[in-house]
Amino acid sequence: MSKDLRVGIAGLGTVGGGTVRLLLENADLLAARCGRPVTLAAVAERSNNRVPGLPMDGIAWHGDAMALLDEDLDVTVELIGGAEGVSRDLVAESLRRGRHVVTANKALIAHHGAELARLAEAHGVVLAFEAAVAGGIPIVKAIREGMAGNNYSRVYGILNGTCNYILTAMRETGREFAEVLREAQDLGYAEADPGFDVDGIDTAHKLAILASVAFGCEIDFPAVHVEGIRRVSALDIGFADELGYRIKLLGVASRTEGGIEQRVHPCMVARDTPIAAVEGVFNAVVAHGDFVDTTMHVGRGAGERPTASAVVADIADIARGPRPPTFGIPSRDLARLPTRPMAEHVGAYYARLSVVDRPGVFADIAAALGAHEVSMESVLQRGRAPNEPVPLVMTLHETREASVVAALDAIGRQDSVVEPPYMIRMESF
Amino acid sequence: MSKDLRVGIAGLGTVGGGTVRLLLENADLLAARCGRPVTLAAVAERSNNRVPGLPMDGIAWHGDAMALLDEDLDVTVELIGGAEGVSRDLVAESLRRGRHVVTANKALIAHHGAELARLAEAHGVVLAFEAAVAGGIPIVKAIREGMAGNNYSRVYGILNGTCNYILTAMRETGREFAEVLREAQDLGYAEADPGFDVDGIDTAHKLAILASVAFGCEIDFPAVHVEGIRRVSALDIGFADELGYRIKLLGVASRTEGGIEQRVHPCMVARDTPIAAVEGVFNAVVAHGDFVDTTMHVGRGAGERPTASAVVADIADIARGPRPPTFGIPSRDLARLPTRPMAEHVGAYYARLSVVDRPGVFADIAAALGAHEVSMESVLQRGRAPNEPVPLVMTLHETREASVVAALDAIGRQDSVVEPPYMIRMESF
């Protein structure tokens, strides 16, 4: 296995903590996928909060983020935040020194992305920011690489989980914005100073980045039209529902004949469209390309672990260098894992029978289920036709498939059951 | 710009035709994103069907796919299909000769993927198959790279558009499988010999590939439990609806203590889960990782253009070599595109007013709208309170935003309108 990739993290807040956790907890997995170990060599955090429950010994600790520049590192991971100051200085100077940079800093990229990208190219290193847009959803990679052949006409989405949570809760409870915002703050879904989220600025940062990646244009954050959700009232949400719509705060970037349109504002979207079903703290990004047509990518848009997932994906890209292995790890390391037989599968079941409609039939069926320790949740019989076959369906509680199969076999052999029972598994994801 | 990447395509069926079309139509875009031209140098197709409407001159044409081996190519694109025969021989021999391979062939990868991956590694070339799973959805890249830090516990999805179309149509029309299948065949959504799709084999091929990429295990296609949708009846779909479920053909791969569980069969999923909303020919893949939590990726699972999008994304990865540029193209080439002002935005609108409930008020509002050439679609007034303020909402037909803003300004200045109108844009995506 080749030399390890040495990583230094600036900022041990929520995302920083999650990134440390991932690098340490999944170290073996990462080494296997990258073909080399990823070593967390140094961290910088002004406050002294250690990441709870993690052994940080052997990891250099600095109070000043700029001190990471003097460490022997391959990658600077900037998780401090803010468009200016130490975050900007650290990223720029790391690139100038020929060091790769991974950041989750949407404000920094939205304001200085193009200039930092030029720096990265000039020094032949990577500047990566998957975590800056839609948290755990790998949408930057999807647009830039996964659908690289497409001419994109539009990219839009729900890019702020706080706003989506508030709008969802307003609809579900009928309460007003201010009240739901307070609740969201108590639950930690909204900041004490919520303006950055509810006034749409955070969404605008992310949209400006997406537009640049999709349309191949320089980020133009000042050109984004921004409206937040403070003026959305319970009345609006009620009327929207009557009209068959949901209200979402969307960021929409379109390529039009008149130029690029970038807008962030509350939108009414038809209740039966996929994006309307994206509720609570989830984010969704829809990309429309001339060949792929419409794709939607849904996931958690924030939080310690999902955002860390995106940060580490960028680190893994750097560690892997040229290309990842065909199946994610070198084929010689592909495991031969045992198969769990379907008989061992545990789940709920739906079963349809065709039975002769006469007394006692159901008792026999119930007896067969009981004999195999299968318990019924519900039973439905449609229509009555004395001594004629009628459909009878049952739903069965969670149980081992072997028991269900045996019970249905026994039932299928009963005189009053006129065709082999048909079973459909019920999934609860 | 560096040397061009020379590509040869074997098989000019639906996907082959779409790939040729994409490579020619979006050639400039691709060259910009890859930093070098992608040249379609040769094609092989036994039958003589040219791709309609495309200039194929200057492109070498062979009746025998194996003849591509003697062409000067960097990449063999195998779009013939089938787990054995010429497709397998061409792919294996291309890899042996140190040539990259891109394929959309799920059967080939499901049966021989591990062995071909070893061959690719032994010769230091790429074997890529994004197009083999879920058509245009870049799910292989998302699992392998975009969420590379995650330990995956489960990957599942709707992986066959034909089955999803049939199940959706059965629910919407209440008709039986056989009848809907015939219709799907007439519409070209199902093959004359539909077994490969409706019996679940196609889904099983894709699932086995996803499981390998997610769990880092060798593809084990024979271990997949496979049931199709032939036995699903209109009765089942009706009962499912009563119980609050939708019936979908899912491929589900789970890592369990007992080993890897791979199963393809009809499932009942709760009507309000996101995957239940994926209807018709669309595919969806849900991946669950220990850090990213749950992500869902939705798009077209088949068809000429979406599948071509995935084929070309793999070609672009090879052309780009080590790493794609930060924003998809080199920063010096990032365009400065004009901004279209919101005043030019055209869309439908919702407006909420608070008006004094007295005769004539509405006439004044209608007049103001008419004066600005804004036409109303609907109007709703809630409650009656003579000479008191009541909410009044309108929906407005598609129009320029400047006109709507001007009309609402005028309305806001009317005596009987007691607070500034609030407007929400209505999107139809």
Side-chain angles (χ1 to χ4, degrees):
Chain A
M1 211 176 244
S2 47
K3 182 188 173 303
D4 65 336
L5 183 84
R6 296 176 58 81
V7 171
I9 297 178
L12 289 190
T14 306
V15 177
T19 303
V20 169
R21 201 176 295 282
L22 201 171
L23 289 176
L24 299 182
E25 281 181 11
N26 289 0
D28 297 346
L29 180 91
L30 260 177
R33 290 181 181 163
C34 299
R36 58 196 284 201
V38 174
T39 305
L40 177 57
V43 297
E45 169 60 44
R46 191 177 270 99
S47 80
N48 228 350
N49 49 22
R50 308 253 146 191
V51 180
L54 286 177
M56 301 283 288
D57 33 291
I59 299 170
W61 188 288
H62 299 280
D64 170 18
M66 300 304 280
L68 291 180
L69 293 167
D70 305 324
E71 290 277 349
D72 167 27
L73 302 174
D74 303 300
V75 185
T76 295
V77 180
E78 186 278 305
L79 304 174
I80 299 167
E84 307 299 337
V86 63
S87 58
R88 183 182 181 183
D89 299 340
L90 176 62
V91 167
E93 190 54 27
S94 295
L95 295 172
R96 271 189 216 99
R97 299 190 184 193
R99 186 189 290 178
H100 303 298
V101 170
V102 172
T103 180
N105 189 333
K106 30 199 154 301
L108 177 68
I109 299 300
H111 287 279
H112 308 297
E115 149 210 331
L116 293 170
R118 281 188 286 271
L119 255 186
E121 286 172 24
H123 295 85
V125 290
V126 170
L127 167 65
F129 48 81
E130 185 65 77
V133 181
I137 307 171
I139 188 62
V140 172
K141 181 175 280 281
I143 291 174
R144 194 182 57 179
E145 303 170 41
M147 305 181 281
N150 287 270
N151 203 333
Y152 298 103
S153 54
R154 185 168 57 207
V155 183
Y156 65 94
I158 296 169
L159 298 171
N160 183 275
T162 303
C163 289
N164 205 46
Y165 170 84
I166 291 173
L167 291 171
T168 301
M170 284 176 71
R171 183 179 59 77
E172 288 172 345
T173 64
R175 288 177 297 157
E176 289 294 352
F177 172 81
E179 196 184 336
V180 174
L181 171 60
R182 272 193 303 279
E183 180 195 78
Q185 287 168 322
D186 298 341
L187 291 169
Y189 291 155
E191 305 287 333
D193 172 3
F196 194 67
D197 291 317
V198 302
D199 294 328
I201 301 148
D202 176 71
T203 300
H205 283 149
K206 296 164 176 172
L207 182 67
I209 297 170
L210 282 178
S212 174
V213 174
F215 303 138
C217 55
E218 273 201 16
I219 288 178
D220 190 1
F221 177 68
V224 184
H225 171 89
V226 187
E227 293 171 33
I229 62 171
R230 289 184 197 267
R231 287 197 65 192
V232 177
S233 75
L235 259 179
D236 299 315
I237 288 174
F239 280 122
D241 199 49
E242 258 183 79
L243 294 162
Y245 290 86
R246 295 262 184 273
I247 298 178
K248 298 290 183 188
L249 180 71
L250 296 187
V252 184
S254 313
R255 164 176 263 138
T256 76
E257 283 172 2
I260 301 296
E261 183 181 85
Q262 299 182 77
R263 49 196 175 97
V264 173
H265 53 72
C267 291
M268 286 200 190
V269 293
R271 201 191 291 124
D272 58 3
T273 52
I275 200 161
V278 177
E279 298 274 51
V281 296
F282 277 82
N283 282 20
V285 181
V286 176
H288 187 91
D290 57 348
F291 275 78
V292 75
D293 193 52
T294 296
T295 62
M296 181 168 81
H297 311 259
V298 184
R300 295 191 177 276
E304 173 183 330
R305 295 170 69 91
T307 312
S309 168
V311 170
V312 173
D314 280 340
I315 295 172
D317 272 350
I318 293 166
R320 282 163 154 172
R323 299 178 180 109
T326 306
F327 290 99
I329 61 175
S331 54
R332 67 175 173 287
D333 301 331
L334 289 169
R336 292 176 186 274
L337 298 175
T339 298
R340 184 168 81 164
M342 278 308 281
E344 298 300 318
H345 176 66
V346 173
Y349 295 81
Y350 157 98
R352 168 171 48 89
L353 312 177
S354 180
V355 302
V356 177
D357 186 10
R358 65 172 170 236
V361 168
F362 187 65
D364 299 342
I365 293 168
L369 291 173
H372 292 87
E373 290 169 328
V374 174
S375 71
M376 191 164 17
E377 184 191 53
S378 68
V379 59
L380 293 166
Q381 185 185 317
R382 280 282 156 275
R384 297 239 44 198
N387 300 308
E388 297 295 316
V390 292
L392 180 146
V393 306
M394 310 176 291
T395 59
L396 310 174
H397 282 120
E398 288 242 324
T399 174
R400 273 180 68 251
E401 177 144 331
S403 312
V404 174
V405 169
L408 292 179
D409 283 350
I411 289 167
R413 284 192 302 273
Q414 295 176 359
D415 305 343
S416 50
V417 177
V418 301
E419 63 180 43
Y422 180 53
M423 166 268 276
I424 298 177
R425 298 170 189 85
M426 304 174 77
E427 301 291 334
S428 51
F429 292 122
Chain B
M1 213 176 243
S2 47
K3 182 191 172 302
D4 65 337
L5 184 85
R6 297 176 57 80
V7 171
I9 297 178
L12 290 190
T14 306
V15 178
T19 303
V20 169
R21 200 175 295 283
L22 202 171
L23 289 176
L24 299 181
E25 281 181 11
N26 288 359
D28 297 348
L29 180 91
L30 261 176
R33 289 181 182 164
C34 298
R36 59 196 283 201
V38 174
T39 305
L40 176 57
V43 297
E45 169 61 45
R46 190 175 273 99
S47 79
N48 230 349
N49 49 23
R50 310 250 144 192
V51 181
L54 285 176
M56 302 285 286
D57 33 291
I59 299 170
W61 187 288
H62 299 281
D64 170 19
M66 300 305 279
L68 290 180
L69 293 167
D70 305 323
E71 289 277 348
D72 168 27
L73 301 174
D74 303 300
V75 185
T76 295
V77 180
E78 185 278 305
L79 303 174
I80 299 167
E84 307 300 336
V86 62
S87 58
R88 183 182 181 184
D89 299 341
L90 176 63
V91 167
E93 190 53 28
S94 294
L95 296 172
R96 273 191 215 99
R97 298 190 183 192
R99 185 189 290 179
H100 303 298
V101 170
V102 172
T103 179
N105 189 333
K106 32 202 154 300
L108 176 68
I109 300 299
H111 287 279
H112 308 297
E115 150 211 331
L116 293 170
R118 281 188 286 272
L119 210 46
E121 286 172 25
H123 295 85
V125 289
V126 170
L127 169 65
F129 47 82
E130 183 65 76
V133 181
I137 307 170
I139 188 62
V140 171
K141 180 176 281 280
I143 291 174
R144 195 182 58 179
E145 304 171 39
M147 304 181 283
N150 286 269
N151 203 333
Y152 297 102
S153 54
R154 186 168 56 210
V155 183
Y156 66 94
I158 296 169
L159 299 171
N160 183 275
T162 302
C163 290
N164 206 46
Y165 170 84
I166 290 173
L167 291 170
T168 302
M170 285 176 71
R171 183 179 59 75
E172 289 172 345
T173 65
R175 285 177 298 157
E176 289 293 353
F177 172 80
E179 195 182 340
V180 174
L181 171 60
R182 270 193 305 280
E183 181 196 76
Q185 287 169 319
D186 298 342
L187 291 169
Y189 291 156
E191 305 287 332
D193 172 4
F196 194 69
D197 292 316
V198 302
D199 294 328
I201 301 149
D202 175 71
T203 299
H205 282 150
K206 295 165 178 172
L207 182 67
I209 297 169
L210 282 177
S212 175
V213 174
F215 303 138
C217 56
E218 273 200 17
I219 288 177
D220 190 1
F221 176 68
V224 184
H225 171 89
V226 188
E227 294 172 32
I229 63 171
R230 290 183 196 266
R231 286 197 65 190
V232 177
S233 74
L235 213 50
D236 298 315
I237 288 173
F239 279 123
D241 200 49
E242 258 183 79
L243 294 161
Y245 290 85
R246 295 262 185 271
I247 298 179
K248 298 288 184 188
L249 181 71
L250 296 187
V252 183
S254 314
R255 164 176 264 140
T256 76
E257 284 172 2
I260 300 296
E261 184 180 85
Q262 300 181 79
R263 49 197 175 96
V264 173
H265 53 71
C267 291
M268 285 199 189
V269 294
R271 202 190 291 124
D272 58 3
T273 51
I275 199 162
V278 177
E279 298 275 50
V281 297
F282 276 83
N283 282 20
V285 181
V286 176
H288 187 91
D290 57 348
F291 274 78
V292 75
D293 193 53
T294 296
T295 62
M296 182 168 79
H297 312 258
V298 184
R300 295 191 175 274
E304 174 182 330
R305 295 170 69 93
T307 312
S309 168
V311 169
V312 173
D314 281 340
I315 295 171
D317 272 350
I318 294 166
R320 282 163 154 173
R323 298 176 182 111
T326 305
F327 289 100
I329 62 175
S331 54
R332 67 176 173 286
D333 301 332
L334 289 169
R336 293 175 185 274
L337 297 175
T339 298
R340 184 168 81 163
M342 278 307 281
E344 297 301 318
H345 176 66
V346 174
Y349 295 81
Y350 157 99
R352 169 172 47 89
L353 313 176
S354 180
V355 303
V356 178
D357 184 8
R358 69 172 168 237
V361 168
F362 187 66
D364 299 342
I365 293 168
L369 291 174
H372 293 86
E373 287 168 332
V374 174
S375 71
M376 193 165 15
E377 185 191 50
S378 69
V379 58
L380 291 166
Q381 185 184 319
R382 280 281 153 276
R384 297 241 40 198
N387 301 307
E388 296 297 315
V390 292
L392 180 145
V393 307
M394 311 176 291
T395 59
L396 309 174
H397 282 120
E398 289 242 322
T399 175
R400 272 180 70 252
E401 178 143 332
S403 312
V404 174
V405 169
L408 292 179
D409 283 351
I411 290 167
R413 284 192 302 274
Q414 295 176 358
D415 306 343
S416 50
V417 177
V418 301
E419 63 181 42
Y422 180 52
M423 168 268 277
I424 297 177
R425 298 169 190 85
M426 304 174 77
E427 300 293 333
S428 52
F429 292 122

